[in-house]
Amino acid sequence: AITLKNSLDSKDPALKDAHKDLICLKWLSVDKSIRLEIKNNLLMTLESDSRQSHSRCPSSKVIAKVIARVACMEIPRNQWLDLVGKLMDNMASLSSSLKQATLEVLQYIFKAKIPNVVKRDQVDDVIASVISALNDEVLGSQVLMAALKDIHNL
């Protein structure tokens, strides 16, 4: 997961913008079926990591960042359009860890401030699920903090 994250993002702020387009072109040049398999595995890993224990696996944050990075490359190009729906399904889960991981994905997506990553017709669903997480008395403080960060980045 870390290797994939590092290959999709530059750590050097001076190179970040220059490499963003090149990285995006490289990612989009990968065969569609391979990209689909990678994306499905990322979502499965996000869910399985959240089930491993109450204290989430450290790799969940990395997975969340990778999912967000791929989303920011693909969704503006009308690809991976079902991601937000899948994330909203995660928010309906009983698992607070999965909700937290999902909120982190949304946080990273919103933080990127890429236009049209969340389509207009999805914004209400996203806001409703974030507010629902804030109103859920069972969720821990980490989940609530992730929800607040999502609202801040919207």
Side-chain angles (χ1 to χ4, degrees):
I2 290 174
T3 303
L4 182 57
K5 181 188 89 52
N6 290 342
S7 68
L8 294 175
D9 211 359
S10 174
K11 289 183 182 190
D12 184 348
L15 299 175
K16 202 169 196 106
D17 288 335
H19 284 263
K20 197 175 276 187
D21 289 337
L22 179 60
I23 291 168
C24 184
L25 288 173
K26 280 181 143 180
W27 170 255
L28 294 172
S29 71
V30 173
D31 184 81
K32 206 173 195 171
S33 63
I34 293 171
R35 284 186 292 144
L36 180 62
E37 187 174 340
I38 291 169
K39 293 182 294 190
N40 288 335
N41 287 334
L42 287 168
L43 290 172
M44 285 190 304
T45 303
L46 184 71
E47 186 175 339
S48 66
D49 277 2
S50 69
R51 276 186 275 162
Q52 288 193 5
S53 72
H54 252 338
S55 62
R56 292 182 42 249
C57 291
S59 62
S60 289
K61 284 190 183 288
V62 174
I63 297 298
K65 286 180 182 180
V66 173
I67 291 170
R69 180 67 183 114
V70 171
C72 289
M73 289 188 292
E74 290 205 356
I75 293 174
R77 290 161 182 83
N78 291 318
Q79 299 179 34
W80 209 9
L81 298 177
D82 61 340
L83 173 65
V84 174
K86 290 178 180 183
L87 294 175
M88 294 303 96
D89 290 344
N90 286 356
M91 292 303 294
S93 165
L94 296 176
S95 166
S96 63
S97 297
L98 180 56
K99 287 180 183 181
Q100 180 181 344
T102 300
L103 287 167
E104 286 174 351
V105 172
L106 291 168
Q107 175 189 344
Y108 294 130
I109 289 172
F110 298 148
K111 201 174 190 179
K113 298 191 188 301
I114 306 289
N116 303 319
V117 171
V118 177
K119 303 297 182 198
R120 284 193 187 278
D121 61 332
Q122 298 171 321
V123 171
D124 289 341
D125 291 338
V126 172
I127 291 172
S129 68
V130 170
I131 290 172
S132 174
L134 286 171
N135 289 330
D136 192 336
E137 295 174 12
V138 178
L139 299 178
S141 61
Q142 291 180 329
V143 178
L144 298 177
M145 183 59 78
L148 286 171
K149 287 179 180 177
D150 283 347
I151 288 177
H152 178 286
N153 288 320
L154 265 177

